[in-house]
Amino acid sequence: WRPAAGLRGRSGPGWWGQIRNRFRVAPVDRRWLWRRADGRVATEAVRRWSDRVRTLLQRDRAVDQSSTSPETSIGAAAKPSSSALRFYRKKVGKEVDGIEDSVIFRSLQALAVPLIGNACYLFMPGLNSVQIYGAEKLHQALQERPKGKPLLTVSNHVAAMDDPFVIASLLPPSVMLEAQKLRWTLCATDRCFTNPILSTFFRSVKVLPVSRGDGIYQKGMDMALSKLNSGGWVHIFPEGSRSRDGGKTIAPAKRGVGRLVMDADSLPVVIPFVHTGMQDIMPVGKRIPRAGKQVIVVVGDPINFDDLIIDNSDDTQHISRGILYDKATQRIGQRLQELKVEADRLASEQQSELRNHHMQNVSDDGYRLWQQVDWEGFGIGS
């Protein structure tokens, strides 16, 4: 029903318009709006996001300008880069994932680790020629380090069976009977944990899963750090993957090993060793190891990181965390390169001795054959 036209005032809305305006509900825009200088309108979320991006760009520009100034160019190596702001100290407890320490897996480890370890020990020195230099350094660190002191071993990575073959060669069989004292190591999930059967097997031999590309703060690295914090032994390949040239060179070390050193609750004893010859026992693409090969292992002295502890004392210095990781990683990589040179030299000397010994045997055999010939029967008197 609408009022007649005569009831509506000509100069205003009239009584019907007043009633309609009083009960009219205006639409409410629940978005928080803000108006920029150019007149455009955006939501509060967009405003906060743009302000955050603008702040980051200004901070990066300020870092770049300070790095190019004359005052800071002298000490550029000691100052953090903009990428170092991403790093921080992540506290890790003694138990991150209890599945490896469950009763079931501890029982499987007590059976599988000594069995496989001793089998590898019989294969390496029994069916191959293995020469080890400095094995007592690892024995001392493993057996005589203080209680609760973590142990971290680092080595080059040549073949898929570097661990456990090389590590089994370094330890006496009596030590491998105690599964709890032996090493934890890491393996990529796309190689060792692709199905439940493989996952159970590798967890039973003290292997921790890591995901490629997930960075140094992933759960697998946290699990390795928790083993160190509980006073355990962790072995890691700083290269991150196997050698691409058959062990001729060692790739640069990854930053993850630096985090294991610097973020542990107690500075671990770091023992490096380098081996050569495993590329002949387990060539790339082969699944069955070969026998009758020669392997040389050189164990180095413990790497000292005491000078980095001073920089590591203040947990609030998040900016320098990435620099500490890089310093520890560089020191480990440099030590492995030095041991690689020593191992190659020993391997070259061994090959020269084998060639000389072979030539000497050939000469002696020829001389004995010469003496056994009846030259007088051929009419030769002398």
Side-chain angles (χ1 to χ4, degrees), residues 40-280:
R40 289 183 296 175
V41 177
T43 62
E44 179 70 14
V46 175
R47 185 187 66 81
R48 292 179 179 178
W49 179 83
S50 61
D51 290 343
R52 185 177 301 176
V53 173
R54 188 182 302 107
T55 302
L56 292 176
L57 292 177
Q58 292 176 356
R59 184 176 61 182
D60 291 342
R61 190 179 299 110
V63 172
D64 294 339
Q65 292 176 357
S66 62
S67 62
T68 56
S69 61
E71 293 81 3
T72 57
S73 59
I74 299 177
K79 290 187 177 296
S81 62
S82 59
S83 61
L85 299 173
R86 301 192 306 265
F87 301 105
Y88 61 98
R89 182 168 189 176
K90 184 178 180 181
K91 292 287 187 178
V92 177
K94 295 184 179 181
E95 292 185 4
V96 175
D97 189 354
I99 184 172
E100 282 80 12
D101 294 326
S102 62
V103 176
I104 297 177
F105 278 103
R106 288 174 69 94
S107 301
L108 293 176
Q109 292 167 9
L111 295 175
V113 173
L115 179 63
I116 296 178
N118 283 279
C120 294
Y121 181 84
L122 293 176
F123 173 79
M124 288 296 290
L127 301 180
N128 299 276
S129 175
V130 181
Q131 295 186 2
I132 302 175
Y133 300 88
E136 68 281 355
K137 301 174 184 177
L138 177 60
H139 297 170
Q140 182 178 2
L142 181 61
Q143 301 286 359
E144 302 179 7
R145 73 184 192 276
K147 185 178 181 180
K149 185 72 171 178
L151 173 62
L152 178 66
T153 54
V154 293
S155 71
N156 59 328
H157 197 10
V158 177
M161 297 295 287
D162 289 346
D163 183 4
F165 277 169
V166 177
I167 292 183
S169 304
L170 295 172
L171 302 176
S174 59
V175 175
M176 287 183 288
L177 295 177
E178 303 180 56
Q180 298 302 320
K181 290 185 177 181
L182 296 183
R183 73 26 179 174
W184 291 89
T185 189
L186 298 91
C187 185
T189 53
D190 57 355
R191 293 185 60 88
C192 301
F193 297 86
T194 55
N195 57 65
I197 297 178
L198 284 179
S199 299
T200 302
F201 170 76
F202 282 105
R203 291 180 188 273
S204 300
V205 292
K206 305 184 71 172
V207 177
L208 303 173
V210 290
S211 300
R212 301 180 190 270
D214 284 359
I216 64 175
Y217 294 111
Q218 62 172 288
K219 184 177 181 180
M221 295 297 293
D222 292 347
M223 295 168 65
L225 196 57
S226 69
K227 303 304 178 184
L228 293 175
N229 291 339
S230 59
W233 171 18
V234 174
H235 177 75
I236 190 173
F237 301 106
E239 298 172 273
S241 60
R242 286 180 295 177
S243 174
R244 300 182 181 273
D245 56 6
K248 296 180 181 178
T249 59
I250 298 181
K254 303 293 185 180
R255 187 180 281 119
V257 67
R259 188 208 166 193
L260 293 182
V261 174
M262 301 310 303
D263 283 3
D265 293 343
S266 176
L267 185 65
V269 179
V270 181
I271 301 293
F273 63 87
V274 168
H275 54 83
T276 180
M278 284 300 300
Q279 64 274 9
D280 299 326

